[in-house]
């Protein structure tokens, strides 16, 4: 369907939030993504280049989204993101419906009663699908412990700090752990994998989102910790 990139605002030096109006409002579950194609950007076969992006917002209670929100990081050597950064007026593109199965298990179902703790592990814009997912759990399953481990290089790369800190105050069972790989003075200095291990236990579910290296490493750690394939779920960005 047709869609129009309306506005973008900087969230960090390298990440922008984009608002996109779709021709028809879409349904979306927390964790889903859209695939956008860009008629102004053609590949070697003269076809529009397409890229996928996780939705920052979602449609509660069977409602529909009039505008979709995305959070995108600039890859200065990439084909699409430098073009997105250069836009100075609304532009028409194409969008799919919300897609993907990286969504929350149905925690209403008694089969998941024993899952007492849910961990979210990400780096960079891998946090995008977790914003609606965590919001959903906090509001609908307040008895579950929720941990978010979010890795970035520098303090200036941290995303959604205000809302995450607010949720920590509002929801006592929510813990936010920002980790920084290039800030020696950080409370949590290093790679994200060094920090979530202590929170893992046999009754937890783990959602992981980010680029392939991070996902690969997380998979190895989770397996080594004895978690089964039914306990962890991945969204890999490439
Ligand atoms: C399901 C899904 C959801 C996604 N959601 C998001 C999202 O919410 N936000 C978002 O920013 N991206 C997201 N992506 C990645 C996005 O689709 C593009 O790959 C990204 O925007 C780069 O596009 P590009 O054309 O500028 O770079 P390309 O020309 O595709 O770049 C080539 C290569 O550079 C590497 N690369 C690019 N950016 C990075 C980076 N930041 N860190 C490490 N390696 C990188 C990758 O190996 C990539 O294959 C998602 C991908 C998938 C599959």
């Amino acid at each position: 369907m047709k869609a129009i990139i309306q506005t973008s605002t900087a969230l960090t030096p390298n990440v922008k939030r984009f608002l996109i109006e779709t021709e028809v409002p879409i349904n979306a579950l927390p964790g889903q993504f859209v695939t956008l194609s860009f008629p102004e950007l053609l590949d070697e076969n003269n076809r529009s280049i397409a890229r996928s992006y996780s939705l920052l917002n979602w449609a509660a209670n069977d409602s529909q989204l009039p505008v979709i929100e995305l959070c995108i990081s600039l890859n200065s050597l990439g084909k699409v993101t430098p073009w997105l950064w250069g836009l100075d007026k609304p532009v028409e593109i194409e969008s799919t419906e919300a897609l993907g199965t990286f969504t929350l298990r149905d925690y209403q179902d008694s089969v998941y009663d024993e899952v007492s703790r849910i961990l979210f592990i990400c780096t960079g814009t891998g946090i995008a699908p977790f914003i609606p997912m965590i919001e959903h759990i906090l509001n609908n399953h307040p008895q579950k412990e929720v941990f978010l481990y979010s890795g970035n290089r520098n303090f200036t790369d941290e995303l959604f700090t205000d809302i995450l800190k607010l949720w920590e105050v509002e929801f006592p069972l929510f813990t936010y752990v920002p980790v920084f790989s290039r800030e020696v003075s950080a409370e949590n200095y290093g790679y994200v994998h060094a920090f979530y291990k202590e929170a893992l236990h046999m009754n937890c579910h783990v959602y992981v989102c980010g680029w392939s290296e991070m996902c690969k490493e997380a998979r190895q750690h989770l397996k080594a910790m004895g978690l089964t394939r039914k306990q962890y779920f991945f969204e890999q960005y490439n």
Side-chain angles (χ1 to χ4, degrees):
M1 77 178 93
K2 284 189 180 24
I4 296 174
I5 304 178
Q6 290 289 8
T7 57
S8 68
T9 44
L11 295 177
T12 72
N14 222 27
V15 175
K16 283 186 174 182
R17 180 198 295 252
F18 288 84
L19 296 186
I20 298 175
E21 204 180 310
T22 51
E23 190 178 29
V24 181
I26 65 170
N27 279 313
L29 295 171
Q32 288 193 303
F33 65 87
V34 287
T35 298
L36 305 179
S37 46
F38 306 92
E40 292 187 27
L41 300 174
L42 301 177
D43 64 15
E44 52 284 0
N45 300 317
N46 246 11
R47 282 195 303 247
S48 298
I49 292 180
R51 293 286 182 271
S52 299
Y53 294 101
S54 303
L55 290 158
L56 260 184
N57 56 344
W58 63 290
N61 307 323
D62 285 334
S63 61
Q64 298 193 309
L65 294 176
V67 169
I68 57 179
E69 293 182 36
L70 309 175
C71 140
I72 302 179
S73 69
L74 173 65
N75 169 15
S76 52
L77 301 175
K79 294 199 179 83
V80 167
T81 51
W83 176 83
L84 286 173
W85 257 243
L87 294 176
D88 56 7
K89 58 178 188 315
V91 62
E92 194 174 294
I93 57 167
E94 293 281 325
S95 173
T96 61
E97 298 282 330
L99 303 170
T101 54
F102 185 67
T103 52
L104 293 165
R105 301 311 96 169
D106 179 6
Y107 294 110
Q108 311 274 26
D109 192 328
S110 59
V111 80
Y112 296 119
D113 280 353
E114 284 191 356
V115 177
S116 56
R117 185 176 283 182
I118 303 171
L119 271 69
F120 294 89
I121 302 166
C122 61
T123 49
T125 48
I127 198 170
F130 293 164
I131 295 299
M133 288 167 111
I134 291 173
E135 186 178 21
H136 180 80
I137 294 191
L138 295 178
N139 285 311
N140 294 283
H141 304 283
Q143 76 287 8
K144 305 261 189 229
E145 286 182 296
V146 176
F147 287 76
L148 168 63
Y149 293 86
S150 171
N152 280 295
R153 287 181 175 164
N154 299 106
F155 291 138
T156 50
D157 298 326
E158 193 179 0
L159 286 162
F160 309 114
T161 321
D162 292 350
I163 185 73
L164 294 168
K165 293 207 160 144
L166 185 72
W167 285 348
E168 275 202 305
V169 175
E170 274 181 37
F171 301 96
L173 295 187
F174 174 58
T175 306
Y176 168 49
V177 186
V179 179
F180 299 95
S181 60
R182 296 204 179 158
E183 299 281 4
V184 281
S185 65
E187 193 181 338
N188 304 311
Y189 165 58
Y191 290 106
V192 78
H193 307 291
F195 293 89
Y196 56 78
K197 285 186 194 161
E198 64 199 36
L200 292 172
H201 63 51
M202 286 309 132
N203 289 332
C204 69
H205 271 177
V206 185
Y207 296 82
V208 182
C209 182
W211 294 90
S212 58
E213 257 323 288
M214 194 281 280
C215 289
K216 198 171 131 196
E217 222 170 302
R219 194 174 272 114
Q220 285 166 355
H221 287 300
L222 297 171
K223 254 178 144 170
M225 295 290 293
L227 268 72
T228 70
R229 195 58 203 90
K230 289 188 172 162
Q231 287 179 276
Y232 48 84
F233 319 102
F234 283 85
E235 184 77 291
Q236 201 166 297
Y237 275 2
N238 63 343

